[in-house]
Every structure is written in structure tokens, then in C-alpha cells.
Amino acid sequence: MMSIPQDQTPAPGAPLAADGAPAHHFVHDYLPALLALASQLISDEFHRVVRQHGFSVSEWRVMASLANGRAISVGVLAEMTVMKQPTLTRLLDRMEERGQVMRLPHGSDRRITLVGITPLGQETVSELIGLAREHERQVLQPFGLVRAEALKDTLREIIRLHAGYSFIDDDPI
């Protein structure tokens, strides 16, 4: 493995430690980088469990997003699962063939296709949801319930402010 030489010359304006060395890297104090790294680390832990249960991460995201039993549009599902719509559509084709999800017409708009979870899909995802909740509890336990809920509230608010809406709180189509 090739090592990258560390230049000890700090960038102009960079914070310095007592010994004159850079105090930390920019990304160690940059919210998007911190969110991405934290998400990657704790997601990877649980994704191992998902794969052990025979699901891909994408299948897990779809089924977890539909687990409340309410059908939602393909567009909203793509946002919730952080997938491009064409990729999601191909995945839904495979999941529909296996009987895990079903497509439904929208009641008043023919352009919108809704997706719902089937009883088989609900049955297969139920155990994983329990395991996901236990994993989340273990991740957040060191911070206590109040701090954990405050963190989740803050993240929901960031999503609402930057998406211009909230599929978390609103009733999505």
C-alpha cells in the first residue's frame, strides 16, 4: 500500500495546535463530511446484517421505506431510498416478480405509479426492522435518549430545510 507523505506546512488560516502543527483536517470540522462518514460507518455495520439475511442494501431500503404499509409514489420512494429512479424501477421489477412489492395505480393521476409492500414483503422485512432498531439503539446508547432524539430532530430539520419539504413528516404521494 502506498503511503501519502504528510506535509506539515499548514494552509493559510488553518487552525494550529500548540506545537504549530495543523490542529485538524478541514473535513474533521465540516458538517457534510462528518455526516457522510458517520452514515457510512454505521450503515456498513448494519448492511452486513442485511446481506446475511439475503437482501441487497437497495432491497432493504425499499422494503424498510414501505414497511408502514402505505403505498407511495416511485418518485418519493426514489428520494427516500437515495436511488435514481431508473435504478429503482429495475429493482422494483425484480422485487415485484418475487412477490415482495406491488405497483398500484394512483387514484386520481394516471401519471403516478404507487408502490406498496405485499404481505410476503412485510413478513420478510419485519425481522430486519427489529434488528435495525436494535442496531440504532446500540449506536445511540452512549449519548442518552435526550441527545439521540435531539440529533434525529436536527437531521430531520436539515432535510426539511434543504429539500424544501419533508417526506418524513408529510403524507407523501
Side-chain angles (χ1 to χ4, degrees):
M1 183 162 82
M2 183 175 150
S3 67
I4 300 171
Q6 299 219 351
D7 182 2
Q8 291 298 315
T9 306
L16 301 177
D19 65 359
H24 55 74
H25 295 280
F26 167 74
V27 296
H28 295 163
D29 197 40
Y30 184 55
L31 179 64
L34 293 169
L35 288 171
L37 181 57
S39 176
Q40 185 70 46
L41 291 169
I42 63 176
S43 292
D44 283 352
E45 290 171 359
F46 187 68
H47 291 164
R48 284 191 288 278
V49 174
V50 167
R51 287 188 289 274
Q52 288 170 354
H53 281 77
F55 294 98
S56 71
V57 171
S58 297
E59 290 166 337
W60 155 245
R61 287 179 180 165
V62 167
M63 300 222 307
S65 297
L66 297 173
N68 72 356
R70 293 172 45 205
I72 57 177
S73 72
V74 173
V76 169
L77 185 58
E79 291 174 7
M80 290 173 73
T81 58
V82 192
M83 277 191 252
K84 293 186 186 304
Q85 201 162 328
T87 302
L88 175 60
T89 298
R90 288 189 298 275
L91 178 62
L92 290 173
D93 290 343
R94 292 191 302 274
M95 293 178 76
E96 194 170 33
E97 286 174 15
R98 289 192 302 258
Q100 296 169 320
V101 299
M102 60 188 160
R103 289 185 175 104
L104 307 161
H106 187 274
S108 60
D109 190 338
R110 293 180 4 197
R111 298 169 297 173
I112 298 175
T113 299
L114 301 176
V115 180
I117 194 165
T118 64
L120 174 63
Q122 188 70 53
E123 182 181 320
T124 58
V125 78
S126 292
E127 182 183 359
L128 274 177
I129 287 176
L131 294 171
R133 289 193 174 150
E134 176 57 23
H135 177 252
E136 177 188 53
R137 188 194 65 71
Q138 290 173 5
V139 167
L140 294 175
Q141 186 274 328
F143 306 103
L145 182 61
V146 172
R147 283 184 67 197
E149 284 305 315
L151 172 62
K152 291 189 325 185
D153 286 344
T154 299
L155 293 172
R156 284 189 284 265
E157 185 67 8
I158 288 171
I159 292 166
R160 187 189 68 73
L161 289 170
H162 291 270
Y165 64 91
S166 176
F167 60 74
I168 294 171
D169 297 323
D170 296 342
D171 187 15
I173 293 180

